[in-house]
Structures are given as structure tokens and as C-alpha cells.
Amino acid sequence: MSKNIALITGVTGQDGSYLSEFLLAKGYEVHGIIRRSSVDFRERIAHLEGTPNFHLHYADMGDSMSLVKLVGKVQPTEIYNLAAQSHVQVSFDAPEFTADVDAVGVLRVLEAVRTNHLEKTCKIYQASTSELYGKVEEVPQNEKTPFHPYSPYAVAKLYGFWIIKEYREAYDMFCCSGILFNHESERRGETFVTRKITLAAARIAQGKQECLYLGNLDSLRDWGYAKDYVECMWLILQHDKPEDFVIATGVQHTVREFATLAFHHAGIELRWEGEGVNEKGIVVSGPAALVGKTVVAVSEDFYRPTDVVNLWGDPTKAKNELGWNPQTTSFEQLVQIMVKHDMEKVAADHVASVMRTNLAEYLEKGLVK
Ligand code: NAP
Ligand code: G4F
């Protein structure tokens, strides 16, 4: 039997790390693309380095030559194209870079496969997004809902979606898009709203931060657990025909609801007062020193020129055709997992910082050598 060889772009990201674990457990040989950085950003996959079937290679989504050479060397049977400038707000500040990586980058991967004559043996998964629905034209959104991208990020991802479809039809390639709704975890980047909230709730509960500043609290998202979603990426490539799928939980919540629940798990009950930019989250009960204090406030800095405010996915097709369970981890469990992790992280960071301070003092006094 021929070996399953996966190439993952974006291996250092939230999804790339969970997908690597998932595929290694299935016996795959896993190759990941990393890019050079002046500091080490590999903490999500550090625990996998040294695993016999796990290999990392330098390449970049902006560098066709590196992709062509790598695909030729690895000869993958499956490519998971997860690499992206994935932050919607950042895409307003760096639209050209976002387009290069998130749009043309997809084309580069497809052409790397064709250049190496692997189009009949290598399946490709494209990390598409619910942001394509943008200024939504219907709720909930399914595979037939019209797209209305509403940020430079979404416009770039729309090109990725269509070029995948085009190569599927033009060259009979097995390439598919997973239209994934927001999925979060304890490995989520710290500037996405969920992780920003869970980290801040943990810091505020432990006296390390006074206030959390957020943007649009009314925004609605369909939030799932990233660990559950990577299984779907794999299932899409194991399906008997190449098709696109919506992956979502089918349940929607506001940013405000996420924050209320996150603070609750950190031991703080909030009440909300005011509207729009004047809205505040005030402590009703919790650590005595915090009662009556404003711990959440709104800052216009986090408003977007155009914001997507009503994402709600319909995962019926994935459920029926892939046998995927959208409710493996509930919203309540997701928030609890993230807060528990961040409460422990903040406590551990505190202990490490006290130890560093003590050590510095002992060294200065000549008490340790
Ligand atoms: P993430 O944590 O931001 O990871 C992005 C990955 O892309 C990182 O490994 C990053 O590398 C890599 N990357 C960025 N630019 C690159 C370049 N020029 N060359 C090579 N690698 C590059 O994102 P994620 O949450 O795991 O999401 C994975 C994919 O799914 C993305 O395409 C995202 O747009 C899409 N998506 C995510 C969600 C979600 O809710 N998480 C929903 C729908 C779609 P560094 O570590 O070096 O920065
Ligand atoms: O957490 P977010 O930054 O995620 P967003 O924009 O939905 O994008 C994420 O999910 C997409 C799938 O739908 C992915 F394609 C994309 O790669 C990324 O993973 O913001 C969620 C909502 C927005 O409406 C934003 O305006 O939260 C609102 N928000 C309110 N305050 C905030 C903040 N977002 C961020 N990042 N920071 C805030 O302070």
C-alpha cells in the first residue's frame, strides 16, 4: 500500500498544529512549511519536532520557486493549504500582502502541483472561510448562499475559492474548499477576539490587567472548536468526489455573550451598561477588589471599516455526506476549555516571572553562582 504523505502550509498556525497531530495519529508522513523569522514562532508544534514522521521545510507562499521545489521533493498525496495572513482587521492595513499570500498563494500551490505532474495523484484542501458570506445575504449560510466579501481578506479568499473550483473543472484535479466558520482553541492567536477575551479575563481575575478594550460587541459568530474542525479537512479529502463543504456548529452568539461566559469561568460576573462606544462591562460579583469596577470597555480602535456581523453556518451537508458531528464540543465547553487554559497560563507566567526576579536578585547579591 502506498504511503499517505501530507504537505501542510501554515503548519505553525492554530489549525496546522492540530491537523499535524491528527494526521500523525493516522499514520501519515507529515511535512510542514515554515518561514524564517528572527524569533522562534514554533511553539504550537514544538512538541512534534523530532517525531519520526514529522518534517519541516523552509518555503514561503510568496515564493513560487520554493513551493515548486518542495512539492517535487516531498511528492505529497494530500496538500492542506492553510497558510494565510488570516487576520481580517490586519488585511485593511496590509491588503496587498494579504492578496499575495491568500489569493495568489493558492494559485502558486496549484501550479506547483501541476509543474510536478502530480495533478492526478495529489488532492488539495483549501482553507476557505465564512468571511466569503461577508455582508450576508441570508441566514443561516450554506453552500448555496451567495458570497458578498466585505474585507480585503475576504476578497483575497474569494479568489482562492474560485481558482480551486476552476482547476477542479479545467484540469480534473481533486481540489476542494472547506468553508469554515470561526473556530477557536487554547492555541488561537492572541489578537482574535475569543483569545483576547479569555486571556484578559484570566489576567483581570489574577490582578494582572485592569480593563479589556473591545470593538463591536454585537457581532455574531458561529464559534466551534479547532480540534474538531481539522477532522473535517481530512474528511473532505477522503470523500468520493471533490466538493466544497460548509463547516460550522449551527449555533450563533455575540461577542458580548462570549465575554460574559469567559469572565464567569474566570470567577467574575458582569453586568452590561450603556450602548455602542459607551458600553461597559461592570463587575457584579467576584474578587472583592473588582466589584463595581469596569473591566470591559469599547474602543473605536477595534472597529473595522466594514465589519461582518451575522455569521451563522448550516453544516447539514457535512453532517449528512461526511458523517461529521458539528456538536462534538459545545460553545459552553469551548469557552471553558479556553479560560481554564489561560487561567493556568497566567498563573504559570506569574510564577516564572517571580522566579526570574528572585534569581536576578540572588545573582546580584552573589548568593548563587
Ligand atoms: P493562523 O493561526 O493565523 O496561521 C496561519 C499560518 O499561515 C501560520 O502558520 C503562518 O506562519 C502561515 N503563513 C502566513 N503567511 C505565510 C507565508 N507568506 N508563507 C508561509 N506561511 C505563511 O490561522 P488559523 O486560524 O490556523 O487558520 C488556518 C487557515 O484557515 C487560514 O488560511 C485562515 O485564513 C483559514 N480560516 C481560519 C478560520 C478560523 O476561524 N481559525 C476560519 C476560516 C478559515 P507564521 O506562524 O510564520 O506566521
Ligand atoms: O476574532 P475575529 O478577529 O475573527 P474574524 O474577523 O471573524 O475572522 C476569523 O474568522 C474567519 C472565519 O469567519 C477567518 F476566516 C479569519 O481568518 C479569522 O480566523 O473577530 C470576530 C468579530 C468581528 O466582528 C470583530 O469586529 O469580533 C469583533 N471584535 C470585537 N472586538 C473584535 C474585537 N475582533 C478582534 N479581533 N478584536 C477585538 O477587540
Side-chain angles (χ1 to χ4, degrees):
M1 208 175 80
S2 62
K3 196 165 174 52
N4 290 318
I5 304 171
L7 177 62
I8 304 177
T9 74
V11 74
T12 53
Q14 170 188 258
D15 293 3
S17 65
Y18 285 123
L19 182 64
S20 298
E21 289 166 4
F22 179 87
L23 295 175
L24 286 168
K26 288 217 166 287
Y28 277 62
E29 185 178 304
V30 175
H31 296 260
I33 288 179
I34 51 168
R35 51 185 181 154
R36 201 261 158 185
S37 164
S38 65
V39 283
D40 186 5
F41 276 130
R42 293 195 220 162
E43 68 174 72
R44 293 189 183 103
I45 52 167
H47 60 293
L48 298 177
E49 290 190 52
T51 306
N53 277 335
F54 186 66
H55 310 280
L56 297 175
H57 311 266
Y58 283 104
D60 197 291
M61 295 302 288
D63 180 347
S64 323
M65 199 72 85
S66 68
L67 295 172
V68 170
K69 279 195 290 186
L70 188 57
V71 169
K73 181 175 161 193
V74 168
Q75 298 278 306
T77 55
E78 294 174 10
I79 295 180
Y80 295 85
N81 185 36
L82 310 185
Q85 188 304 90
S86 73
H87 202 285
V88 174
Q89 190 160 11
V90 171
S91 77
F92 289 96
D93 296 327
E96 186 182 339
F97 173 72
T98 304
D100 190 43
V101 175
D102 299 13
V104 186
V106 186
L107 178 69
R108 292 188 184 108
V109 169
L110 289 162
E111 280 298 312
V113 170
R114 291 189 65 228
T115 305
N116 285 290
H117 311 292
L118 297 175
E119 59 268 55
K120 296 286 172 261
T121 54
C122 178
K123 299 178 182 181
I124 303 168
Y125 170 85
Q126 165 59 13
S128 193
T129 166
S130 50
E131 290 289 314
L132 299 189
Y133 300 119
K135 193 177 181 189
V136 299
E137 300 197 0
E138 67 183 24
V139 281
Q141 297 94 35
N142 62 34
E143 290 79 2
K144 296 199 170 75
T145 302
F147 296 138
H148 189 145
Y150 213 35
S151 65
Y153 167 80
V155 173
K157 282 282 186 178
L158 187 65
Y159 176 88
F161 178 88
W162 280 107
I163 200 70
I164 285 282
K165 197 165 157 53
E166 175 58 23
Y167 274 50
R168 182 160 75 212
E169 289 170 17
Y171 304 118
D172 197 23
M173 289 169 73
F174 196 113
C175 42
C176 320
S177 291
I179 306 172
L180 270 58
F181 281 63
N182 297 52
H183 44 280
E184 318 294 315
S185 73
E186 58 274 38
R187 296 186 193 168
R188 184 59 143 154
E190 295 178 10
T191 58
F192 295 96
V193 77
T194 55
R195 189 76 199 289
K196 185 173 161 181
I197 293 170
T198 59
L199 262 175
R203 287 195 189 117
I204 290 169
Q206 296 179 43
K208 301 276 168 215
Q209 182 175 331
E210 290 192 353
C211 187
L212 162 67
Y213 292 92
L214 294 173
N216 184 359
L217 297 173
D218 291 315
S219 193
L220 286 155
R221 285 292 182 277
D222 179 330
W223 280 296
Y225 190 28
K227 218 173 184 172
D228 302 337
Y229 282 39
V230 298
E231 182 195 6
C232 248
M233 300 176 183
W234 176 77
L235 284 171
I236 289 172
L237 291 194
Q238 313 317 308
H239 194 46
D240 50 6
K241 46 188 188 299
E243 285 184 10
D244 307 320
F245 288 86
V246 160
I247 307 300
T249 67
V251 183
Q252 212 186 20
H253 292 277
T254 61
V255 170
R256 187 184 301 97
E257 284 165 350
F258 191 102
T260 305
L261 192 56
F263 276 86
H264 164 76
H265 286 302
I268 297 171
E269 303 303 328
L270 294 181
R271 77 179 157 79
W272 297 92
E273 208 178 272
E275 269 178 37
V277 79
N278 296 315
E279 187 164 355
K280 292 180 182 0
I282 299 167
V283 179
V284 177
S285 66
L290 292 179
V291 176
K293 293 228 160 100
T294 295
V295 289
V296 186
V298 173
S299 163
E300 285 180 355
D301 285 352
F302 301 108
Y303 283 171
R304 297 174 181 181
T306 49
D307 197 12
V308 171
V309 294
N310 196 1
L311 291 180
W312 181 12
D314 173 2
T316 306
K317 183 180 174 191
K319 216 164 123 182
N320 293 344
E321 295 186 26
L322 301 176
W324 181 67
N325 175 11
Q327 258 87 46
T328 307
T329 308
S330 69
F331 174 73
E332 288 71 21
Q333 287 168 321
L334 169 69
V335 180
Q336 195 167 14
I337 291 168
M338 292 178 70
V339 175
K340 181 173 182 294
H341 175 274
D342 285 340
M343 288 294 277
E344 288 166 7
K345 175 180 160 49
V346 171
D349 288 351
H350 176 70
V351 171
S353 128
V354 170
M355 284 169 72
R356 270 196 306 275
T357 311
N358 287 348
L359 183 62
E361 200 181 312
Y362 295 156
L363 284 169
E364 200 179 301
K365 291 180 179 161
L367 297 174
V368 286
K369 302 241 183 284

